[in-house]
Amino acid sequence: MKSRNFNDRKLPITMVVLHYTGMETADCARERLCDPQAEVSAHWLVTEAGEVESLVDEDKRAWHAGVGSWNGISDVNSASIGIEIVNGGHNVLTADGKLPAYPDVQILAVIKLCKEIVARHNIRPANIVGHSDIAPDRKEDPGEHFPWAGLAAAGIGHWPSDLTEDERIVFEAGDRDRGISIIQRGLADLGYGVSVTGCLDDQTQAVIRAVQRRYRPGKINGVIDMQILDVLKRLSLLARAVAA
């Protein structure tokens, strides 16, 4: 099937955005992504069995990102390739209330697809992002159960290794400090949509939760601790090394 939910791009392709479908089956997801009334779509759909389906041609602007930003780009749909990965996520939990696992065969297919897209469009590792990275105040996918470290090990995206185990709190909600301004600038340099206010406000907490969800999924609380500072430092060093 092909989706009719697309229009023309206004920007060159510079990023890949990964999503989970948040639905019970691939059939349900495919039907919605191809439904004109839903006004949503993606370029690619990857099933639990590792089947990769093209729903929108890559030269067209699919409607997968919605309101959000990355590297100052607010029209993320125009600048990105959207990949929907069949997984119930936070919407369809398992019988014991857990997030459903991503099968290995599915992740291998995602890795292969991402490598092909990166090669076609010369996309930088820092621009392989999740929906929660570009819209941290409203999205959680592909979720804290998504194996970002495995993708990075295969050459897709960045992963900060050998993190400190120090989780002492540095800043909490509502704190104001010059150090928070420095952290906000660092988050913006990484690509996150955050304003420099010097306050650990709601927007900044949402971004910190997105960072935690991806790089420190065991504790997602929006608090800035020593381990999160280490994550941000290592991500900055990785981005600089690639840019050099």
Side-chain angles (χ1 to χ4, degrees), residues 37-38 42 57 74 76 88 92 96 107 110 124 130 141 153 159 188 206 213-214 217 221 224 232 240:
Q37 294 186 341
D57 292 342
S74 57
V76 175
V92 186
D96 56 359
I107 294 303
V110 170
R124 296 189 297 116
D141 58 311
W159 186 260
R213 192 178 305 282
R214 179 167 175 175
N221 57 10
I224 299 173
L232 298 178
R240 290 177 189 175

Side-chain angles (χ1 to χ4, degrees), residues 77-91:
N77 283 333
S78 276
S80 66
I81 301 292
I83 301 175
E84 288 279 357
I85 306 165
V86 177
N87 185 279
H90 297 85
N91 299 332

